[in-house]
């Protein structure tokens, strides 16, 4: 598999779901598919924006650092050319000695191995790693450069003891960047991918991944319910920043269900026109929307000692309902997260929809105060 990655542009991914014939099981059919215990994306991102100095890093080739028991290695045999430069050379049989990309159990094994290792040590660094680790990525933030350097040193030492190398470090902290450069683990990309979003550490700004034009553009002959649902679902906005625009796509999909259109039925011109208008707006907001990574980036110096309060607003209409949260400090407010839902097709009273919005707001407030 070829990826848009400066660290591992090419990697072997095994098709563990491949079957010899329709009656034979694949390797994945014989493996447990227990899901890993992952932290919530929204919790990690909201904490990532809290501290003055943000830090990102990931584990180098994480799956390949976990050994596979020798009695299980025969299940991972594969053919490879004796001479890779000659397509006609004889094939040789190899076995994986480590966990491989494509196996359904690999994410769980990686997660369990990391948690097991972290459980053997008690420290503030361990708690941060447990809280802000997502698969093989770590996103966190601290309030001082001293704390950033301490986390850099302690986390690298801790993970190295288990055979994991924390690489591609990125931070606005000049001191940490200098140390990462000395250790040859600095991320040199201008923008860093953070769980689907983009972060420019120099300006400390968050942006959205640009929509792939090949995936998003459709002509009239392809404007079907299946296509619209597929494209609208591909928009990644975990914090709800683009909600005022993306909610229109949800409403359009609801209309398609209400009108009873089949999955691959060509839609009428008025719906196609509405869809294109929504796409144009989505392109504009994903390209032009930029938000400060740090909540308090623009606060006045006189407000530095002000108390921080959390405010949650809820509202509803006959078509949608939702909630949004803000942090307030002094005379300044900072957007944190928003959630919206489409009202059910079954007619509901406005007071009941407002109560449903209040439930979202209450859950949002509880989650934010539980995960500071």
């Amino acid at each position: 598999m070829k990826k848009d990655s400066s660290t591992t542009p090419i990697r072997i991914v095994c098709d563990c779901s491949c079957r010899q014939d329709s009656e034979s099981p694949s390797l994945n059919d014989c493996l447990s598919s227990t899901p890993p215990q992952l932290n919530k994306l929204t919790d990690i991102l909201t904490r990532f924006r809290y501290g003055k100095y943000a830090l990102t890093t990931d584990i180098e080739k994480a799956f390949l650092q976990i050994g596979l028991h020798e009695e299980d290695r025969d299940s991972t045999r594969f053919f490879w050319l004796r001479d890779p430069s000659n397509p006609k050379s004889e094939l040789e049989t190899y076995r994986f000695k480590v966990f491989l990309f494509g196996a359904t159990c690999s994410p769980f094994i990686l997660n369990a191995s990391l948690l097991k290792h972290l459980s053997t040590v008690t420290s503030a660094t361990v708690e941060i790693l447990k809280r802000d680790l997502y698969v093989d990525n770590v996103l966190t933030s601290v309030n001082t450069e001293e704390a950033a350097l301490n986390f850099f040193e302690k986390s690298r030492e801790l993970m190295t003891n288990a055979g994991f190398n924390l690489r591609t470090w990125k931070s606005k902290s000049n001191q940490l960047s200098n140390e990462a450069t000395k250790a040859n683990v600095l991320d040199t990309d201008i923008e860093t991918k953070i769980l689907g979003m983009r972060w420019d550490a120099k300006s400390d700004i968050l942006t959205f991944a640009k929509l792939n034009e090949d995936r998003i553009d459709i002509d009239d002959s392809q404007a079907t319910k299946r296509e619209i649902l597929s494209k609208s679902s591909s928009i990644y906005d975990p914090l709800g920043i683009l909600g005022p625009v993306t909610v229109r796509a949800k409403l359009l999909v609801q209309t398609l269900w209400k009108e009873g259109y089949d999955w691959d039925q060509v839609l009428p011109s008025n719906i196609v026109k509405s869809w294109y208008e929504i796409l144009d707006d989505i392109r504009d907001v994903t390209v032009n929307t930029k938000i400060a990574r740090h909540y308090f980036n623009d606060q006045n110096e006189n407000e530095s000692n002000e108390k921080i309060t959390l405010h949650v607003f809820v509202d509803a209409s006959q078509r949608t309902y939702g909630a949004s949260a803000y942090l307030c400090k002094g005379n300044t407010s900072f957007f944190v997260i928003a959630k919206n839902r489409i009202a059910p097709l079954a007619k509901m009273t406005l007071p009941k929809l407002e109560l449903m919005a209040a439930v979202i707001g209450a859950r949002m407030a509880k989650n934010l105060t539980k995960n500071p």
Side-chain angles (χ1 to χ4, degrees), residues 131-166:
R131 184 190 66 184
D132 294 333
L133 176 70
Y134 191 84
V135 188
D136 59 349
N137 297 280
V138 179
L139 284 77
T140 191
S141 63
V142 295
N143 287 318
T144 64
E145 286 196 277
E146 290 76 14
L149 285 172
N150 181 70
F151 179 76
F152 173 78
E153 296 169 357
K154 296 292 180 61
S155 62
R156 292 198 71 223
E157 179 183 359
L158 176 66
M159 299 303 286
T160 299
N161 291 338
F164 295 108
N165 178 38
L166 289 179

Side-chain angles (χ1 to χ4, degrees), residues 9-80:
I10 297 177
R11 65 181 62 182
I12 296 175
V13 179
C14 296
D15 184 5
C16 298
S17 296
C18 180
R19 294 181 174 85
Q20 183 175 352
D21 53 58
S22 59
E23 298 181 357
S24 301
S26 67
L27 177 59
N28 277 341
D29 290 332
C30 303
L31 298 174
S32 175
S33 58
T34 305
Q37 298 179 13
L38 300 178
N39 294 310
K40 292 183 179 179
L41 284 171
T42 51
D43 291 350
I44 295 176
L45 288 172
T46 51
R47 286 192 296 265
F48 180 70
R49 299 183 61 203
Y50 193 82
K52 183 177 181 180
Y53 296 98
L55 315 171
T56 64
T57 182
D58 70 353
I59 302 172
E60 181 179 9
K61 301 176 183 176
F63 287 156
L64 305 184
Q65 310 309 316
I66 303 176
L68 188 63
H69 284 298
E70 189 169 354
E71 57 267 27
D72 295 327
R73 293 176 185 173
D74 278 339
S75 299
T76 65
R77 288 176 294 179
F78 64 98
F79 293 116
W80 198 254

